[in-house]
Amino acid sequence: MAEKLDLHLNKSCKRGRRALPQQPHPAASPPPSPQGGGEAAAPVLRLSGITKRFGPLVANNGISFDLKRGEVIALLGENGAGKTTLMNILFGHYVADEGTVEVFGKQLPAGDPRAALDAGVGMVHQHFTLAENMTVLENIALGTQSAWKLRLDRAAARKRISKLAGDFGLAVNPDATVSTLSVGERQRVEILKALYRDARILILDEPTAVLTPAEADALFRTLKLLVAQGLSIIFISHKLHEVMAVSDRVLVLRSGKLAGEQVTAETSRAELASLMVGQEVASPKVAEPKIGAVALELKSVSAAGQGSSHRLDGLSLELRAGEITGLAGVSGNGQATLAALIAGVLKPASGEVVVQGASMRDWSPRAALGGGVARIPEDRHAVGTIGDMSVTENVIAERYATARFSRRGFLDWKAAKNFAEEIIRDYDVKCPSPDARIRLLSGGNMQKLILGRALDPDPAVILANQPTRGLDVGAVAFVHRRLLEARERGAAILLISEDLEEVLALSDRILVMSKGRLSSPSRRGERTIRELGELMAGHGEGMAA
Amino acid sequence: MRLEPKPAPSLGVTLLFPIAAIVVTLLITSLLVLAAGASPFSVFYLVAKGAAGSQFALLETLTRATPLIFTGLAVAVAFRAKLWNIGAEAQLYIGGVVTVVLGTGALPLPSYLLIPIIMIASMAAGALLLLGPAVLKTRFGVDEVVTTLLLNFIVLLFVSMLLEGVLKDPMGLGWPQSSKVIAEAQLPRIIQGKRLHYGFVIAVVAAIIAWIIMKKTVLGYEMRAVGHNPEAASFAGIPVNRVLMKTALLSGGLAALAGFSEVSGLKGNLTLDLSPGYGYSGIVVAMLAMLNPLGVIASAIFVAGIFVGADAMSRTAGVPSYIAQVMVATALLTMVTAILLTRFRVRWR
């Protein structure tokens, strides 16, 4: 991410030559690549006419494509476009209604993950599937030998792992317990796991969602080494710049259909974006901020870490009306603790939080809402919505006890439904009816409802925690527009995001959080991505004491 | 074999599945009937006849359904908020204890005052009994399945102690039973000379009130939200612990009414066999009703009918009445499977 030019893969690598000048590495002596000169070799993977229906919903509609040896295909698409369904079919988790999957010319039996594994298909899921209490070595070797064999041949496994790790730049200590590893390291373990099983086709589902820019760079270098060895890679993403950087070809999925197939070198981000959403998307225009009074102030607040997030020690922060403050940082550095504090979920151990001039005494979500703080939570499935309840029941969740929606202990369902319809209309939510279970909605529509619920009372302070994570281009633009509108109306906004581009595009003022501390603020355009990246990694100038 | 989610089924399919579940239940239990050397058709016919074939049979079924409606409601409201109240049996007995304590002459009041007072006191006692496990759950994270289940045995022993001690009927020839409640504390019979009493009417009214609470009120909304996703409910500002407390009070109170209604309407006194496991059967009743309070009325009558009908059948056909328990248990399993099948599609391989 830091230097996009760096990420563009040297095309010659992918043709199978092993000249990697920037990697003085044991990769200098891998087994001879069987790639040779067979440019027009048979595809390693062929999907023909894959169709998958869930009731009336067609998740995949006649999708066909080939994957060649040593090629990186990017699968690009909005959320709900059918990327994950397609990969689940390929990997044998789902059975397609129509169509076939061929690996190395042989048809895979439908619905058999084992067969996919044996045929050399490896998958690295977005959410890792590692046993936390076991070591790296045990995780990798798990399931590769007969359950009747009592002892693990550790020496052989270790040798193999260190060979693979060396060849592909996947440094990780085989004896470390997985629970002690960072997210980036865990991902390397997942990739090693697939390679250990002789995967020839590697599927990566949103691999960079959890990585720092530096870790993402390392991953891209690894991918380069893998394709040089003749592996083929399917890279699932909705981040355009990554897709441009790592892939040879881009397949764009839109509502279950293959909307386009482009050779990466011959396309542009704008073209891909419009293929994805079916229309041109413009980046938001940001007017000069009209900065007002302090709306929320944290005065040397200390608080215990929330979950796995870092604790806060004497943290001070001011949010001003009409200004978006962007908080960048790698997850786990205290953002979740800060968010819980402002949302009224967490009570600080010491210090003071002042909302619109009044010091907060009562620590509850209701108190925060009453003080004019709107909250957009990080996890919209687990925290933001109640999946098995209806759209109506979800949109009133923060205000059902007010006179607008209830009288003498009875709910006014008519008022609630009107409110739901209002939000569905104003926030352009696609859903069958206000009575539909919110679980059936796509992530983007769910987020629009949460946004509507939060912004409807015209809040003075908005806490937006990862508001666009996992959303498609169209929904991201929508959320950004709404946040900018709220800023125009004079709301003080704290935008917590791991997506640096988002922080840079929206924020009037940027802070970086690392190990529970905040950097000195910078105005729009003052720091480059690289400087922010260094602050995120915890070094660099400007970390406030 | 694997499960795939599918979209919400139509109303017709939703209604079809319970019927299919009952048919499958009959098919499975007919194997046992065959093993017992009888014809399934005649046995099922006799069960149906014994449950609803005459005025006597029907009234007996409704009488037996009365406590099941109360315990079924207690379980239905608690499970809706994912408060796993397995202790309806204990709450039932506590309701019975309060009824004989207040109803055997301690309060010389006319019926229209005495009965409401006893009902309220019973509900309060049952509510408080469940409040303990609810507090332990919210404060210390103690699993309420364990605490409520074990309380059943503690309360039964406590009742046994009372019946051998302070509540023992001096005229009872040494049997562990309490004195009879006075006439003013008795619920009248609906039809003179039959066993069906006004407890059944109270149970139906309670079911309607519970349904209104769940569907129309703020509390019902809070309970469902807490049950579906406590984390999201708490984030949105719903006071999760307070809602669980209120749920416990409601559930314990409803279960205690079963004890009140059995003593005051049917038995007249408290004995150790006041309930043949109505508290546990309440779980089955609530699950069969998919936790819908109005559905509880139907499922309680269904379960009661099987028990009453099986008693009658075993007298004629010579098949043990234990078959009723197998039928109810099988019905629960097929019903749970049916509910699963309405939400998921099964893929073989």
Side-chain angles (χ1 to χ4, degrees), chain A residues 268-488:
Chain A
S268 67
R269 285 170 67 163
E271 190 181 3
L272 291 177
S274 59
L275 275 174
M276 251 167 100
V277 294
Q279 67 201 33
E280 288 285 336
V281 270
S283 51
K285 287 192 184 61
V286 183
E288 272 301 300
K290 296 186 281 284
I291 298 171
V294 174
L296 183 136
E297 189 179 4
L298 272 67
K299 293 182 181 166
S300 61
V301 170
S302 299
Q306 176 86 341
S308 60
S309 191
H310 204 282
R311 66 185 320 268
L312 304 180
D313 239 337
L315 184 118
S316 295
L317 173 69
E318 273 183 14
L319 301 180
R320 285 175 176 275
E323 185 181 51
I324 296 183
T325 304
L327 186 66
V330 178
S331 125
N333 274 294
Q335 300 97 316
T337 312
L338 179 62
L341 207 65
I342 296 175
V345 176
L346 179 70
K347 192 182 156 112
S350 68
E352 196 185 3
V353 178
V354 183
V355 183
Q356 297 193 78
S359 178
M360 261 178 82
R361 303 195 181 286
D362 182 18
W363 293 89
S364 70
R366 269 192 199 175
L369 288 164
V373 179
R375 297 107 26 95
I376 297 164
E378 182 176 2
D379 186 338
R380 55 184 156 270
H381 297 277
V383 180
T385 57
I386 302 168
D388 281 323
M389 290 179 92
S390 71
V391 168
T392 305
E393 288 169 318
N394 270 286
V395 294
I396 63 166
E398 287 183 340
R399 284 194 288 159
Y400 68 94
T402 60
R404 180 170 173 190
F405 299 116
S406 62
R407 229 155 291 127
R408 288 199 207 92
F410 281 82
L411 278 172
D412 184 347
W413 284 116
K414 217 167 144 191
K417 208 162 173 174
N418 286 342
F419 180 50
E421 275 163 357
E422 204 177 290
I423 287 184
I424 289 171
R425 194 178 56 241
D426 294 353
Y427 286 80
D428 190 27
V429 181
K430 289 190 189 64
C431 78
S433 91
D435 299 323
R437 277 190 301 154
I438 206 163
R439 186 186 292 288
L440 300 171
L441 270 55
S442 72
N445 285 315
M446 225 181 246
Q447 192 71 338
K448 285 177 180 176
L449 281 174
I450 294 173
L451 203 64
R453 172 172 93 180
L455 300 188
D456 178 78
D458 208 359
V461 178
I462 298 169
L463 165 70
N465 195 355
Q466 317 287 356
T468 60
R469 178 188 275 171
L471 298 188
D472 55 73
V473 180
V476 168
F478 185 90
V479 172
H480 286 174
R481 208 164 58 237
R482 288 299 173 133
L483 287 177
L484 288 168
E485 280 169 22
R487 162 185 177 264
E488 291 297 301

Side-chain angles (χ1 to χ4, degrees), chain A residues 184-198:
Chain A
E185 287 172 313
R186 288 179 198 211
Q187 187 173 61
R188 275 176 249 157
V189 177
E190 285 279 10
I191 296 174
L192 278 173
K193 211 164 100 182
L195 297 177
Y196 192 86
R197 285 151 205 240
D198 297 317

Side-chain angles (χ1 to χ4, degrees), chain A residues 48-129:
Chain A
S48 328
I50 298 283
T51 297
K52 174 74 186 171
R53 297 182 194 88
F54 294 107
L57 177 84
V58 186
N60 287 156
N61 192 351
I63 295 178
S64 308
F65 69 84
D66 286 352
L67 176 67
K68 293 197 262 301
R69 153 169 246 132
E71 184 186 39
V72 181
I73 281 190
L75 205 55
L76 185 69
E78 299 193 342
N79 268 49
K83 294 172 298 193
T84 308
T85 306
L86 188 64
M87 289 306 110
N88 277 327
I89 289 169
L90 166 55
F91 204 65
H93 288 311
Y94 289 165
V95 181
D97 296 320
E98 289 160 33
T100 56
V101 179
E102 277 173 45
V103 178
F104 296 107
K106 272 200 305 200
Q107 190 174 331
L108 274 190
D112 189 357
R114 190 90 234 168
L117 275 172
D118 291 345
V121 181
M123 183 147 179
V124 176
H125 291 273
Q126 198 174 354
H127 302 286
F128 301 143
T129 53

Side-chain angles (χ1 to χ4, degrees), chain A residues 52 54-56 93 95 97 110-112 343 345 365-366 369 375 377 381-383 385-386 388-389 393 396-398 400 406 409-411 413 437, chain B residues 2 4-8 212 215-219 221-222 224-226 228-229 231-239 242-243 343 345 347-349:
Chain A
K52 174 74 186 171
F54 294 107
H93 288 311
V95 181
D97 296 320
D112 189 357
V345 176
R366 269 192 199 175
L369 288 164
R375 297 107 26 95
H381 297 277
V383 180
T385 57
I386 302 168
D388 281 323
M389 290 179 92
E393 288 169 318
I396 63 166
E398 287 183 340
Y400 68 94
S406 62
F410 281 82
L411 278 172
W413 284 116
R437 277 190 301 154
Chain B
R2 179 167 67 245
E4 283 179 17
K6 65 181 186 190
I212 291 172
K215 287 278 163 185
K216 306 277 180 194
T217 69
V218 169
L219 177 61
Y221 169 76
E222 290 176 326
R224 283 182 288 127
V226 169
H228 282 309
N229 186 345
E231 205 185 347
S234 159
F235 183 84
I238 297 174
R242 227 175 328 148
V243 171
R343 300 188 56 189
R345 176 179 296 126
R347 291 276 186 181
W348 301 95
R349 275 193 48 82

Side-chain angles (χ1 to χ4, degrees), chain A residues 105-173:
Chain A
K106 272 200 305 200
Q107 190 174 331
L108 274 190
D112 189 357
R114 190 90 234 168
L117 275 172
D118 291 345
V121 181
M123 183 147 179
V124 176
H125 291 273
Q126 198 174 354
H127 302 286
F128 301 143
T129 53
L130 297 171
E132 299 243 329
N133 57 345
M134 294 171 85
T135 65
V136 169
L137 186 142
E138 287 162 343
N139 264 287
I140 293 174
L142 199 69
T144 55
Q145 34 177 252
S146 162
W148 299 108
K149 212 168 158 184
L150 290 174
R151 280 187 59 242
L152 188 63
D153 188 353
R154 280 166 192 277
R158 176 168 323 203
K159 214 170 131 203
R160 184 107 195 274
I161 291 169
S162 59
K163 169 103 173 62
L164 287 169
D167 283 356
F168 299 111
L170 294 162
V172 60
N173 172 11

Side-chain angles (χ1 to χ4, degrees), chain B residues 75-322:
Chain B
V75 173
V77 295
F79 280 22
R80 200 40 108 192
K82 295 240 163 75
L83 178 75
W84 306 112
N85 175 16
I86 316 293
E89 189 80 359
Q91 293 137 25
L92 178 153
Y93 271 99
I94 284 297
V97 167
V98 170
T99 306
V100 295
V101 166
L102 297 179
T104 46
L107 291 177
L109 292 169
S111 253
Y112 62 89
L113 285 178
L114 187 55
I115 286 180
I117 287 174
I118 293 178
M119 276 176 70
I120 291 165
S122 301
M123 287 182 77
L128 287 177
L129 189 63
L130 187 52
L131 195 60
V135 170
L136 286 175
K137 174 192 169 84
T138 50
R139 280 281 160 77
F140 306 110
V142 182
D143 191 336
E144 75 276 20
V145 172
V146 176
T147 48
T148 55
L149 180 66
L150 293 182
L151 260 181
N152 288 340
F153 303 100
I154 295 170
V155 166
L156 204 60
L157 288 169
F158 172 69
V159 171
S160 170
M161 184 190 85
L162 293 179
L163 291 182
E164 295 287 359
V166 289
L167 287 184
K168 190 167 189 169
D169 182 5
M171 316 296 280
L173 303 171
W175 290 101
Q177 63 181 39
S178 75
S179 311
K180 292 261 176 201
V181 293
I182 58 177
E184 285 83 357
Q186 282 177 14
L187 285 169
R189 302 284 154 108
I190 292 175
I191 301 169
Q192 210 54 50
K194 306 282 192 232
R195 274 159 51 92
L196 187 65
H197 53 90
Y198 270 92
F200 179 73
V201 176
I202 298 174
V204 171
V205 171
I208 294 169
I209 292 174
W211 182 81
I212 291 172
I213 289 175
M214 295 313 295
K215 287 278 163 185
K216 306 277 180 194
T217 69
V218 169
L219 177 61
Y221 169 76
E222 290 176 326
M223 284 165 66
R224 283 182 288 127
V226 169
H228 282 309
N229 186 345
E231 205 185 347
S234 159
F235 183 84
I238 297 174
V240 173
N241 286 354
R242 227 175 328 148
V243 171
L244 286 173
M245 297 297 163
K246 288 180 190 169
T247 307
L249 294 176
L250 183 61
S251 172
L254 283 166
L257 281 181
F260 152 77
S261 130
E262 284 297 280
V263 171
S264 172
L266 194 64
K267 302 277 174 70
N269 62 358
L270 178 63
T271 57
L272 276 177
D273 58 0
L274 180 69
S275 156
Y278 288 138
Y280 302 105
S281 302
I283 299 169
V284 180
V285 167
M287 297 299 284
L288 283 179
M290 298 188 206
L291 308 187
N292 181 328
L294 293 182
V296 162
I297 301 175
S299 72
I301 292 172
F302 172 72
V303 169
I306 288 181
F307 278 115
V308 172
D311 281 346
M313 176 277 297
S314 80
R315 283 193 291 274
T316 355
V319 174
S321 66
Y322 292 124

